[in-house]
Amino acid sequence: MSDALFDQLGGEAAVNAAVDIFYRKVLADDRISRFFDGVDMEKQAAKQKAFLTMAFGGPHNYTGKDMRDGHASLVKDGLNDSHFDAVVENLGATLKELGVADDLIGQVAAVAETTRNDVLGK
Amino acid sequence: MPIIEFDENRCDCNPGETLLECLDRYNCPPPSSCQSGLCHTCLMRCVKGTPPESAQNGLKDSLVKQGYFLPCVCYPEGDMKVVMPDDAAAPHTSAKLIEKTILTPAIARLRFAVDEDFSYIPGQYTNIFKSDEVARTYSIASVPVLGDYIEFHIEKISGGIVSEWIFNTLKEGDELQISEALGECFYQAGEEENNLLMIATGSGFAPIYGIVRDALNQGHTGEIHVYQGAGMAEKLYLVDEMKILAEKHENLFYHPCLSRDATEDFESGRANELALTEHADLKNWTVYLCGHPEMVKATQRKAFLAGASMKDIHSDPFEFAKT
């Protein structure tokens, strides 16, 4: 994805604005909150930030392998498409709350979508 | 050409090269991901020299203050010695015990004299060495401008080699080694008007006792609510000192809480639960959590969901060593 999307969203400042809102939505979502039980919140927030940067079309060193390894134990615990959908939904709602235009939200969702198979170990 | 010291390596950093690229060229890079200063995966700490300001953009103030920086966006301007962020091979200082007071059967207060160049921020922690091999981490309860000593509160752990040694053997006049002060659970400059919520259990009150007095000393004007909790009364300590402090400062509200014993002197219930019930909306609050790891983790999450921003939740979980 091009830097154009990242710039249109507002770059790093946009990521910083989104990360708390997004993480709070995810933790408050009964469909997926259990996957975050007992995690180190500070480390998790840093991961959320890296993920958002990537989904916003920003610079990253995304590797499918990291994503697979990172989620493998969650997949064993039942992580599936419905949970992935819930995360993408929270991502969209976060951007909506920040006043981002629908077509840009669509582009972010499309980038997030490219991680689905790696996250779910397919 | 700036020289970068890292572990055993002395690396020449080329012009236009980042510190990360330099370490990579010497085959000793830290883990990294975005390589553009965003993800913070490659975070390191500078212990000699100064990282350029641009390599600290986006880091918490508390990290900046301690020399943390991002090697992927660091173009060194001079020689630097760098370490991984959790490197314990930090310098040691000798400390002489000048006062040992048994505050309750479960809590001892130690005051040490240290070299002038030992610097710390109230709320940080250090390792106390019983011997070269055996050390435990304790938080610092003192405030530099309030006295020439560093103070620790030691909780007696049954079977704990260091805490039992401190209670039973260590005496005034003894000298031992402590490591440099680390940690980022401390009062943040620039938040004088914020409301602060501080929750401590057991000897987790040590850093809070330092942080609250540091805040008051720096002229904090927002409200400060301190919840000090324990199961039994013998683990609640410095209660009178705190009451006096609260009488002196009208923006300080002190809540000693007991979860198991019920008495008239204390609020009944768990400190973290009482605190979150009485403060359900934590938007724009700064939260400090110190003590039992389960309490810290659970409360961190609740405080975040109650509206506190992640960067405004500071915590210090007291993990007990497995001995």
Side-chain angles (χ1 to χ4, degrees), chain A residues 6 12 19-21 23-24 27-28 33-34 36-42 45-46 49-50 53 58-62, chain B residues 32-40 57-58 60 184 297 300-301 303-311 313-315:
Chain A
F6 192 55
E12 188 184 357
V19 70
D20 261 13
I21 301 174
Y23 192 18
R24 197 171 282 125
L27 284 182
S33 62
R34 70 178 170 97
F36 296 90
D37 285 346
V39 303
D40 181 319
M41 281 189 71
E42 295 219 14
K49 194 174 169 184
T53 303
H60 64 87
N61 269 16
Y62 174 79
Chain B
S32 67
S33 177
C34 79
Q35 310 204 345
S36 47
L38 297 176
C39 74
H40 299 186
N57 267 346
K60 279 190 189 179
E184 46 167 314
K297 264 191 189 169
Q300 196 178 33
R301 184 162 171 161
F304 178 65
L305 289 174
S309 173
M310 244 344 255
K311 70 173 174 39
I313 304 176
H314 306 280
S315 67

